[in-house]
C-alpha cells in the first residue's frame, strides 16, 4: 500500500539530505516530501527566524498539499519540529517517527538535552558568528556524526551543511503525550550513532520518553547518506 512520508531533517541540513532515502521510498511506490526548513536554505539570514517558524513550515506544507494519512519523520533536532507540528496536524497523521531524534520534554530545549561540551561549543560559536548561528566543526562531524564514512565523503557532505540558528537550540515546543495524541509513535535508532555519547546523554533516553521499543538500524547519525537502504527499510517497518 502506498504511503505519504514527510521527512524532516536535523540541524545544519536541508531537504537534500534525505534524497538517498527518499528515492528508495519512492521506488517502493510511496510519496515523499523533503522540505528545507526556514533558516536552513543556503544564504538564509539566521537572525530572521524562530523555532516556531520551522513548525509552521511543516504544518503549512501538510495543509497546503491537503496531505492525509502522513508518516511524519524527524531526524535529530527535527524531533522538535515534528513534535510541534503533531499537535496541529494530528488528524492528518498516520504515524510519528523519531529517527535518532530528540523527543522534547516540557520546558526543555535542545541545549538542555546535550552534554555540556556541546552547549559550550554552540554558545561560543554563536557569540563569535555575528548572526547568532552555529557551524558544526569538521572534527566533530567526522568523529561523532558521520563516523562510518571515508574522509573524502565526510568532507564533501560537511561542505554542504549550513549554519544553524542558535535559537533553534534554545527555544522549546510543547511535548506530546503519546497516550492522548491519537497517533501511533515510533522510534528508530542507528546502532553506530555516537553524536550523543552513550550513557546519561545517549539517544536511548528518547524512546523511553515515548514508551516504545526502538527499531534499530545499522549506521551512524548520518545513516541517510551511509546506509540509505537499511534506513528506508526501518522507516517502513517502524
Amino acid at each position: 500500500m502506498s504511503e505519504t512520508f514527510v521527512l524532516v531533517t536535523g540541524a545544519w541540513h536541508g531537504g537534500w539530505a534525505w534524497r538517498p532515502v527518499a528515492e528508495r521510498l519512492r521506488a517502493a511506490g510511496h510519496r515523499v516530501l523533503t522540505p528545507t526548513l526556514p533558516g536552513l536554505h543556503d544564504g538564509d539570514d539566521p537572525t530572521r527566524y524562530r523555532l516556531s517558524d520551522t513548525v509552521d513550515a511543516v504544518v503549512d506544507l501538510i495543509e497546503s498539499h491537503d496531505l492525509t494519512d502522513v508518516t511524519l519523520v524527524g531526524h535529530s533536532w527535527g524531533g522538535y519540529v515534528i513534535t510541534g507540528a503533531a499537535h496541529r496536524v494530528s488528524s492528518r497523521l498516520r504515524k510519528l517517527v523519531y529517527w535518532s531524534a530528540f523527543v522534547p520534554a516540557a520546558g526543555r530545549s535542545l541545549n538542555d538535552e546535550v552534554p555540556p561540551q556541546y552547549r559550550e561549543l554552540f554558545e561560543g560559536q554563536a557569540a563569535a558568528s555575528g548572526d547568532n548561528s552555529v557551524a558544526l566543526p569538521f572534527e566533530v562531524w567526522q568523529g561523532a556524526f558521520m563516523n562510518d564514512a571515508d574522509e573524502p565523503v565526510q568532507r564533501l557532505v560537511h561542505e554542504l551543511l549550513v549554519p544553524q540558528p542558535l535559537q533553534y537550540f534554545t527555544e522549546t515546543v510543547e511535548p506530546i503525550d503519546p497516550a492522548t495524541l491519537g497517533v501511533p509513535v515510533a522510534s528508530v535508532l542507528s546502532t553506530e550513532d555516537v553524536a550523543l555519547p552513550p550513557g546519561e546523554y545517549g539517544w536511548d533516553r528518547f524512546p523511553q520518553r515515548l514508551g516504545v521499543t526502538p527499531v534499530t538500524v545499522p549506521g551512524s547519525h548520518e545513516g541517510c547518506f551511509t546506509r540509505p537502504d537499511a534506513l528506508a527499510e526501518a522507516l517502513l517497518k517502524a
Side-chain angles (χ1 to χ4, degrees):
M1 182 179 69
S2 177
E3 300 178 28
T4 297
F5 287 84
V6 174
L7 307 180
V8 176
T9 60
W12 302 290
H13 295 64
W16 51 268
W18 280 113
R19 181 171 173 80
V21 174
E23 288 299 282
R24 285 155 175 80
L25 293 174
R26 292 178 183 128
H30 306 294
R31 183 182 185 185
V32 186
L33 291 84
T34 61
T36 295
L37 299 177
L40 294 171
H41 293 84
D42 185 32
D44 275 356
D45 177 359
T47 66
R48 288 186 53 197
Y49 303 100
R50 317 309 303 178
L51 180 58
S52 59
D53 292 315
T54 67
V55 173
D56 290 344
V58 171
V59 171
D60 291 346
L61 175 73
I62 291 172
E63 292 182 341
S64 66
H65 287 77
D66 195 23
L67 302 180
T68 58
D69 205 30
V70 174
T71 296
L72 180 59
V73 180
H75 177 218
S76 197
W77 161 78
Y80 277 84
V81 182
I82 68 169
T83 297
H87 294 286
R88 296 165 55 186
V89 293
S90 59
S91 65
R92 294 177 176 270
L93 298 183
R94 176 179 183 270
K95 185 176 290 186
L96 200 59
V97 181
Y98 294 80
W99 165 45
S100 289
F102 293 87
V103 176
R108 292 183 65 82
S109 68
L110 182 142
N111 260 11
D112 295 320
E113 301 282 8
V114 298
Q117 62 268 27
Y118 274 172
R119 190 160 55 248
E120 293 168 6
L121 171 67
F122 298 159
E123 293 173 351
Q125 284 214 333
S129 68
D131 59 10
N132 202 45
S133 69
V134 179
L136 187 66
F138 175 73
E139 294 75 15
V140 178
W141 169 261
Q142 181 180 45
F145 283 70
M146 205 175 183
N147 44 297
D148 58 345
D150 294 333
E151 183 171 337
V153 177
Q154 294 170 332
R155 290 193 178 278
L156 175 63
V157 178
H158 182 261
E159 289 179 0
L160 298 175
L161 304 181
V162 298
Q164 178 85 358
L166 179 66
Q167 60 270 23
Y168 289 1
F169 290 167
T170 60
E171 296 175 353
T172 63
V173 298
E174 181 185 353
I176 60 165
D177 179 357
T180 62
L181 183 65
V183 177
V185 296
S187 170
V188 175
L189 290 182
S190 294
T191 56
E192 299 163 69
D193 188 347
V194 292
L196 289 180
E200 178 183 0
Y201 291 99
W203 292 109
D204 56 359
R205 292 173 288 160
F206 300 119
Q208 294 173 12
R209 286 187 186 172
L210 296 172
V212 301
T213 300
V215 173
T216 58
V217 61
S220 66
H221 195 63
E222 297 298 316
C224 50
F225 300 112
T226 62
R227 301 299 294 264
D229 289 305
L231 181 55
E233 182 179 347
L235 294 179
L236 290 169
K237 178 181 178 182

